[in-house]
Amino acid sequence: MWELLEGMILPTLSSVGLAMREHPVVAGLYLVLSLATLAMLGVSLWRGEARKAYWWSVGFVLVSTAFGWGDDAYSHVYRIVALAEEYRAGQPGMLLTNPTTGQVLPVFVFYSVLPYLPGTFLNLLGVPAWLAFKLVLLGQYLVLAWR
């Protein structure tokens, strides 16, 4: 049990502390929004308002997603950029070329292009790829939460 604490939880807490020191406004905004949604979730549960509690929990997930950055987020943003560049060049395909190494990978043979199309479309409209990724991810969560 101590190994779990030492190997996963302590580094996470350390990185949160570092983020708070380096980006106090963003970290403060995240904390305020997170605590507000959790407080409203608690109030809704206390009052027995299941539907409101559900949407406050969805709100917490959305806030966490908006401010969080997963392990593979860079890969998804890269794929959005790569697809947008292919469409700009008029040559969409199933292969992606790594601009650093020149290595060609059959990425979209193994992964569907479909989830990347909304983000690619936003990127083609001028939205930065990281923001397009976040907007599409938040939109997907809302669609999944809607009954």
Side-chain angles (χ1 to χ4, degrees):
M1 183 65 160
W2 178 251
E3 292 171 359
L4 174 68
L5 179 68
E6 197 173 50
M8 295 183 73
I9 297 172
L10 292 179
T12 300
L13 291 176
S14 174
S15 66
V16 167
L18 178 65
M20 291 181 80
R21 284 190 302 275
E22 291 183 0
H23 307 285
V25 174
V26 174
L29 184 61
Y30 169 69
L31 283 175
V32 166
L33 292 173
S34 294
L35 292 175
T37 56
L38 287 174
M40 293 307 295
L41 171 62
V43 167
S44 296
L45 288 172
W46 182 262
R47 292 179 179 170
E49 301 169 333
R51 183 171 290 273
K52 284 183 181 179
Y54 172 76
W55 282 107
W56 284 117
S57 64
V58 169
F60 178 73
V61 169
L62 293 176
V63 167
S64 296
T65 301
F67 286 91
W69 201 255
D71 294 340
D72 63 347
Y74 293 108
S75 298
H76 297 300
V77 171
Y78 165 72
R79 291 174 187 157
I80 289 170
V81 170
L83 275 174
E85 291 301 318
E86 286 183 353
Y87 282 109
R88 282 186 188 102
Q91 299 175 343
M94 301 295 279
L95 306 172
L96 291 182
T97 303
N98 185 331
T100 307
T101 63
Q103 183 180 21
V104 177
L105 300 171
V107 172
F108 296 114
V109 171
F110 301 105
Y111 299 102
S112 174
V113 177
L114 188 61
Y116 295 101
L117 291 180
T120 302
F121 178 71
L122 288 172
N123 188 245
L124 289 170
L125 291 176
V127 177
W130 68 269
L131 183 56
F133 169 68
K134 287 288 187 172
L135 291 173
V136 169
L137 190 59
L138 292 172
Q140 289 172 349
Y141 284 159
L142 280 175
V143 167
L144 289 172
W146 204 265
R147 296 189 227 177

